Amino acid sequence: MWRERWHIGLLIGIGLLALMVHLDGSRLWDRDETRNAGCAAEMMAQSDWVVPTFNGELRDAKPVLLYWLVMISYTLFGVNEFAARFPSALLSLGTILATYVIGRRLFGPQVGLLAGVILATSVMFEVSGHATTPDASLIFCSTIGLMIYVLATFRPRSVVFGERTAPELWVEGQYFPTSWPAVALMYAVLGVGVLAKGPVGLILPTAVIGMFLLILYAPKKKTVSAATTFFSRLRAGCARSVRLFAPAHFLRTCWRMRLLTATLVVLAIAGPWYFLVGVRTDGAFLRGFFIDEHFGRATHAMENHSGGPFYYVIAILIGFFPWSVFATPMLVGAIGRIRRNDPWRAGYLFAICWVGVYLAIFTFAATKLPSYVTPCYPGLALLCATFLYQWCQKTTIAPDGWVTSGLTVVAVVGVVAAVGLPIAAHFFLPGEEMLGVLGVVLLLGAAACFWMMRKGHARGMVLSFALMAVLLSVSVFSFVMPRIDRHRTRFILTELVQQSGPETKMGAYGFFEPGLVFYTGRTVQPLLRGGPLAATPGEDTDSHRAVNRAT
């Protein structure tokens, strides 16, 4: 028990350092962050907890959970950047702890601890934890839901520290919880996720569990002879894949997952708000959110956010940095151990399903953004942690040279950053040549890791890499981002309006900066050539909003 408390305390410390330090060091960044923060401010000013509005217009881009959390934060801390970002940072800290719990139950305490550190210091997860967007709340709900599934399916571990044993089931042969309260609680948490970002909060985590069960309960395959040709093996592999989704097998899996219970619980949690907002807006929110934001984004690329079939592979290699340098060996090792029926096979399979489902589904969607797959980062962290644990134990399947290659990549990126960032800053951010410190952090970290490897201290190498990742994340969000923020010229107009009298009115022609609304607390009137565009009593509000978006 003392070891678990020590692990939790360490993760909380790292999470607070990576997520909370200088949380208000820069002003709100992109258009979504300012819109979300401004929407919560308007709802609080109007004492309206149902209808999201921004700049006096209905905001149908996202559900209400983020706005509720930010409104509570505004009540505690006032309307400012820290309060707007605090819910995301706090929920991200909760996701880190949930990842530790999952890793501890499936693999052991060391893997769980390392997975929490890896997640806390990966770039894209850090971004979601520092932004006023629904991503952090969606990731939190998805991870907590999957954590409940794992805890209700697998028994606590009671083995000697460092011993590798298979996770034990509560009920022999049952890979889905048999306790109805546990199932209801899991789906209730996913129902909260539906309030965070819509149906994906339920569908994707459920699909992860479903894929896991489809594979575990798959019909036994016939033994393939070692002399079988390549094409015969390929046909056999395709046949096995088809059998996973055979109607009878698929329906049995759905029945095991109690999807009727899921539907009823989620409707009870999320249904009341969707019903109320639909009534209050005469269905305008529901049409905009479900048709435009979901069906529209799935079928065609919106706002020029498109990409090829390898878009999310590249996004993960960048977003999971610096730990993504171990992507190839951790994937090879996990797949190899599944095939060898490793004691941790169930855990490896669960983590791969977690990552694979998100990659597959969003690869087929037309609209692509790097943040869409961030909910699978806890699964990536688990895979990376298991690889590094096995490497420390000298039991890896992938060649040791992959670690050296990964550290070389870190060193190369460090050299490029140490040289390139000061040059770029000289031209675009005069006086900020010290941004090259990021490259120095990477170079020193890579050097320390190489030195530990030369001395034969595998655990020392992993510890050095983790320390480098922590320093890198703190440097980016506590030093680099605030310095870049000083050079943002878009706030000059905001400062001029704040200095003017309350009678000053604002209009926008051609381009609308949402930050003006949040930082001035005033409505910005969109303009057309014929004059101001304002809704008149009885005018169709849907058409009015469409024109406003077009301008």
Side-chain angles (χ1 to χ4, degrees):
M1 182 61 70
W2 66 267
R3 184 179 292 113
E4 181 177 1
R5 292 176 179 175
W6 159 246
H7 288 172
I8 291 175
L10 180 60
L11 287 175
I12 290 176
I14 293 175
L16 291 176
L17 186 64
L19 295 166
M20 295 291 186
V21 174
H22 228 182
L23 189 60
D24 57 349
S26 62
R27 287 163 290 190
L28 301 179
W29 284 96
D30 62 10
R31 296 167 65 83
D32 284 338
E33 194 178 17
T34 49
R35 284 190 179 111
N36 293 329
C39 179
E42 286 190 23
M43 292 178 69
M44 187 173 72
Q46 299 166 6
S47 298
D48 190 343
W49 291 74
V50 176
V51 180
T53 59
F54 177 72
N55 198 34
E57 298 179 346
L58 176 66
R59 177 159 171 74
D60 55 17
K62 298 294 182 289
V64 76
L65 180 63
L66 174 66
Y67 309 134
W68 285 348
L69 297 174
V70 175
M71 290 166 70
I72 295 171
S73 185
Y74 285 161
T75 302
L76 297 174
F77 306 112
V79 180
N80 51 58
E81 291 93 349
F82 178 86
R85 293 167 174 159
F86 179 75
S88 293
L90 187 63
L91 292 178
S92 296
L93 180 59
T95 303
I96 293 169
L97 297 178
T99 302
Y100 165 73
V101 172
I102 295 173
R104 182 183 178 88
R105 185 62 60 93
L106 292 178
F107 302 104
Q110 290 178 304
V111 171
L113 175 62
L114 185 54
V117 174
I118 291 171
L119 181 64
T121 54
S122 57
V123 171
M124 200 63 206
F125 182 79
E126 284 275 312
V127 170
S128 68
H130 284 81
T132 312
T133 63
D135 295 321
S137 54
L138 176 66
I139 299 168
F140 174 79
C141 292
S142 301
T143 307
I144 293 295
L146 293 175
M147 181 194 75
I148 295 171
Y149 165 77
V150 169
L151 295 181
T153 303
F154 298 96
R155 289 179 178 273
R157 287 181 171 271
S158 56
V159 297
V160 178
F161 188 70
E163 185 178 341
R164 293 183 64 245
T165 58
E168 299 178 4
L169 296 169
W170 283 106
V171 179
E172 186 65 27
Q174 294 294 329
Y175 285 93
F176 193 80
T178 57
S179 168
W180 186 89
V183 174
L185 179 61
M186 177 184 74
Y187 286 129
V189 172
L190 299 183
V192 178
V194 174
L195 288 173
K197 214 168 182 179
V200 294
L202 169 68
I203 294 173
L204 294 184
T206 303
V208 170
I209 298 172
M211 194 69 216
F212 181 58
L213 297 179
L214 284 172
I215 296 174
L216 287 176
Y217 289 115
K220 299 295 182 181
K221 62 180 182 296
K222 295 180 180 179
T223 302
V224 180
S225 172
T228 306
T229 65
F230 169 77
F231 292 103
S232 297
R233 288 171 180 254
L234 182 61
R235 285 196 300 269
C238 293
R240 287 195 297 269
S241 300
V242 170
R243 283 198 298 270
L244 289 180
F245 297 96
H249 179 48
F250 185 81
L251 291 176
R252 280 195 299 268
T253 301
C254 292
W255 179 258
R256 284 191 181 99
M257 295 178 65
R258 303 185 183 185
L259 295 185
L260 178 60
T261 298
T263 303
L264 295 176
V265 171
V266 171
L267 285 176
I269 297 295
W273 176 78
Y274 280 99
F275 174 78
L276 288 175
V277 76
V279 171
R280 289 273 303 274
T281 61
D282 295 325
F285 179 91
L286 301 181
R287 288 192 297 272
F289 179 66
F290 287 106
I291 297 178
D292 296 339
E293 290 295 321
H294 279 74
F295 181 76
R297 288 182 180 273
T299 55
H300 63 275
M302 296 180 65
E303 302 166 352
N304 296 320
H305 295 310
S306 59
F310 297 103
Y311 177 91
Y312 285 114
V313 174
I314 298 172
I316 285 177
L317 290 177
I318 297 173
F320 199 57
F321 188 83
W323 303 96
S324 58
V325 298
F326 304 120
T328 300
M330 76 186 194
L331 184 61
V332 171
I335 294 176
R337 290 186 179 279
I338 290 173
R339 290 177 174 176
R340 297 183 183 188
N341 205 23
D342 187 89
W344 287 353
R345 179 178 182 272
Y348 282 122
L349 186 59
F350 182 75
I352 287 180
C353 289
W354 196 340
V355 176
V357 165
Y358 278 86
L359 282 178
I361 290 178
F362 282 115
T363 294
F364 284 105
T367 303
K368 291 179 171 61
L369 284 171
S371 60
Y372 285 175
V373 296
T374 315
C376 80
Y377 275 42
L380 285 170
L382 292 170
L383 291 174
C384 188
T386 54
F387 163 72
L388 291 175
Y389 176 85
Q390 300 287 0
W391 184 77
C392 290
Q393 299 293 319
K394 302 185 184 304
T395 58
T396 55
I397 294 178
D400 288 344
W402 281 109
V403 175
T404 303
S405 299
L407 295 178
T408 303
V409 171
V410 172
V412 170
V413 174
V415 171
V416 172
V419 176
L421 288 179
I423 296 175
H426 176 74
F427 289 101
F428 302 104
L429 301 171
E432 304 299 346
E433 286 75 12
M434 285 294 294
L435 297 183
V437 69
L438 293 182
V440 176
V441 171
L442 291 172
L443 283 172
L444 292 177
C449 290
F450 277 124
W451 186 78
M452 286 291 181
M453 287 181 63
R454 184 177 180 182
K455 294 293 183 180
H457 299 313
R459 293 187 179 182
M461 191 287 290
V462 175
L463 180 61
S464 298
F465 197 95
L467 180 59
M468 177 201 69
V470 172
L471 292 176
L472 181 67
S473 64
V474 172
S475 299
V476 168
F477 292 99
S478 298
F479 174 73
V480 174
M481 302 302 281
R483 297 185 77 90
I484 294 176
D485 183 65
R486 300 175 185 177
H487 297 265
R488 297 169 68 193
T489 57
R490 67 175 60 181
F491 291 100
I492 295 176
L493 179 58
T494 300
E495 295 170 356
L496 292 175
V497 174
Q498 289 173 333
Q499 296 170 6
S500 65
E503 71 282 354
T504 301
K505 297 181 179 180
M506 293 187 294
Y509 179 82
F511 176 77
F512 170 49
E513 174 53 55
L516 287 171
V517 178
F518 177 78
Y519 283 103
T520 64
R522 310 182 194 194
T523 300
V524 178
Q525 179 66 56
L527 303 175
L528 289 178
R529 291 187 179 183
L533 177 67
T536 57
E539 183 178 0
D540 178 40
T541 56
D542 285 346
S543 301
H544 175 61
R545 287 201 315 279
V547 174
N548 278 346
R549 282 197 290 265
T551 58

